[in-house]
Amino acid sequence: MTTNYALVLTLNYFFEIVNWLILIRVVLSLLRMENMSNPISRFVITVTEPILDPFRRLQFKSSIGRSMMIDFSPILAMLVIQYIIRPIIINIVSLI
C-alpha cells in the first residue's frame, strides 16, 4: 500500500466521520437532546460547531435565511464537504 493511498483512505474515513457526526447532531437536535450535560452530546456539539457555524452565519446573512425557522446549515455543510472539499483534497493528495 502506498503512502498516497493510505492518506486518501484516511481522509475518506475522516470526512465520513464528520458527516456522521453532523447527522448525529441533527438527530440530537430533533429529539431535543442537545444539552451540554450529556458527554456524548457535548462531544458531538463541540466537534461539529466549528464546522456548522460558518454555514449558519452565511444562512442568516441572506434575506431568505433570516426568515426561515429551519436551520439548513447541516445540509449545506454536508453538501460542501461531500462535493467540494472532499474531492479537492483527495485530488491534491493524489497529485503528491
Side-chain angles (χ1 to χ4, degrees):
M1 180 171 8
T2 65
T3 306
N4 286 350
Y5 179 73
L7 190 55
V8 167
L9 195 62
T10 304
L11 286 170
N12 271 329
Y13 285 137
F14 171 75
F15 287 123
E16 196 64 35
I17 290 169
V18 168
N19 278 335
W20 277 104
L21 286 173
I22 292 172
L23 189 63
I24 290 169
R25 171 130 185 212
V26 169
V27 171
L28 288 174
S29 175
L30 290 173
L31 297 175
R32 307 265 188 223
M33 296 175 59
E34 211 175 24
N35 59 5
M36 295 302 274
S37 62
N38 184 350
I40 295 172
S41 180
R42 185 176 343 136
F43 171 76
V44 171
I45 292 169
T46 305
V47 170
T48 58
E49 188 59 32
I51 298 166
L52 296 178
D53 187 49
F55 294 101
R56 193 173 294 122
R57 282 188 278 133
L58 181 68
Q59 176 187 344
F60 291 127
K61 280 185 181 178
S62 72
S63 60
I64 298 170
R66 254 182 270 134
S67 62
M68 294 182 136
M69 299 285 293
I70 299 173
D71 183 14
F72 285 104
S73 60
I75 296 169
L76 292 172
M78 289 176 74
L79 287 173
V80 167
I81 289 170
Q82 192 71 25
Y83 295 110
I84 297 174
I85 295 174
R86 192 181 207 171
I88 289 172
I89 291 178
I90 289 174
N91 284 331
I92 289 172
V93 168
S94 297
L95 292 175
I96 297 175

